[in-house]
Amino acid sequence: MFSSLRGKQIVLAGGTGGLGSETARLLAAEGATVVAGYLNNANAAEALSEIAKTVAADLTSSPDRKRLLDAAPDLYALVVFTGDPARAADPAALEGAMRRSFELNFLGPVLLAREAAERMRVSGTPGAIVLIGTMQAVAVFSGSTAYASQKSALISAARVLAKECRGANIRVNVVCPGVNRAGMALASIASGKYDRYLNEGAIPRFGEALDVARAVRFFLEPDNYTTGQVLTVDGGLTL
């Protein structure tokens, strides 16, 4: 078991969801002090309360973002799992989906990341920030305009922040999950949308939450030499 994160304070925005909760368990097992933010699912937060401090926070709210970061006064790292699938089957619903996607998939996460980076900079803490994108941000999927466009913008904003933070030794990276048996992808798996990739042998299996958690953990290693990068965890699906 690793011990390099023991005692380090790590905030997981959206940390009570499928991907976030698995990451919380992985980090807590290593001895990290985990703060898990959540929006509506109080039951999921309660289930995680034995290993993490849980904080209700809407990332589109400045006071909520402050409260979430205040829960980790010696902040070492931030991971942002929050997002919205922003699906719009009806063309008439696309505008609303795009506005919602901008708020939840781009604006809130980027503002939180920049505010966390500023806290690290002021405190002189070498730290790490990981944003969660999607395979749809690095490959073209029909019908993903509202969702993928803002996740692509998230990647761009993360790289800008990584460049701005080089002198402060704050690393900023992005993990882009593929089809995972957790979180938003569950509905797509249940519908059979991605079965053909299994049937054709393009991927050996659907992803698990732990696959993403391990990728996040890689970027959180204190002596990690990687910043401004995107790691796609999709079993090769986007190939």
Side-chain angles (χ1 to χ4, degrees), residues 18-60:
L19 299 178
S21 61
E22 188 67 26
T23 303
R25 284 187 281 270
L26 181 68
L27 300 179
E30 189 175 329
T33 300
V34 178
V35 176
Y38 69 98
L39 183 57
N40 296 316
N41 198 335
N43 290 334
E46 177 63 26
L48 208 63
S49 61
E50 290 188 5
I51 64 167
K53 179 178 181 179
T54 58
V55 179
D58 179 349
L59 299 196
T60 65

Side-chain angles (χ1 to χ4, degrees), residues 1 4 71 86 91 97 128 151 177 215 234:
M1 181 180 295
S4 56
K151 287 294 192 176
D234 69 349

Side-chain angles (χ1 to χ4, degrees), residues 19-207:
L19 299 178
S21 61
E22 188 67 26
T23 303
R25 284 187 281 270
L26 181 68
L27 300 179
E30 189 175 329
T33 300
V34 178
V35 176
Y38 69 98
L39 183 57
N40 296 316
N41 198 335
N43 290 334
E46 177 63 26
L48 208 63
S49 61
E50 290 188 5
I51 64 167
K53 179 178 181 179
T54 58
V55 179
D58 179 349
L59 299 196
T60 65
S61 163
S62 178
D64 279 20
R65 294 194 303 272
K66 181 178 184 302
R67 184 172 64 252
L68 180 59
L69 295 177
D70 284 348
D74 297 316
L75 180 67
Y76 163 71
L78 167 72
V79 187
V80 185
F81 290 96
T82 57
D84 184 279
R87 296 187 177 99
D90 181 353
L94 180 60
E95 180 176 349
M98 292 189 70
R99 292 183 186 279
R100 184 172 69 254
S101 185
F102 170 72
E103 291 277 334
L104 301 179
N105 294 322
F106 178 77
L107 184 61
V110 169
L111 290 176
L112 181 65
R114 297 190 67 86
E115 289 158 4
E118 183 59 22
R119 290 188 180 214
M120 295 173 188
R121 197 190 331 260
V122 169
S123 66
T125 301
I129 295 172
V130 181
L131 301 179
I132 303 300
T134 172
M135 66 176 184
Q136 296 180 40
V138 296
V140 177
F141 288 81
S142 298
S144 63
T145 297
Y147 182 58
S149 61
Q150 298 308 311
K151 287 294 192 176
S152 295
L154 183 76
I155 290 174
S156 180
R159 297 191 70 193
V160 170
L161 183 59
K163 188 167 186 176
E164 294 173 347
C165 288
R166 285 182 301 181
N169 196 16
I170 299 167
R171 293 169 287 105
V172 185
N173 293 287
V174 181
V175 172
C176 286
V179 183
N180 284 267
R181 296 186 184 277
M184 289 184 278
L186 275 175
S188 295
I189 290 177
S191 72
K193 178 179 178 180
Y194 293 105
D195 283 354
R196 69 183 182 91
Y197 293 101
L198 283 177
N199 298 336
E200 295 169 358
I203 54 175
R205 59 174 173 83
F206 292 129

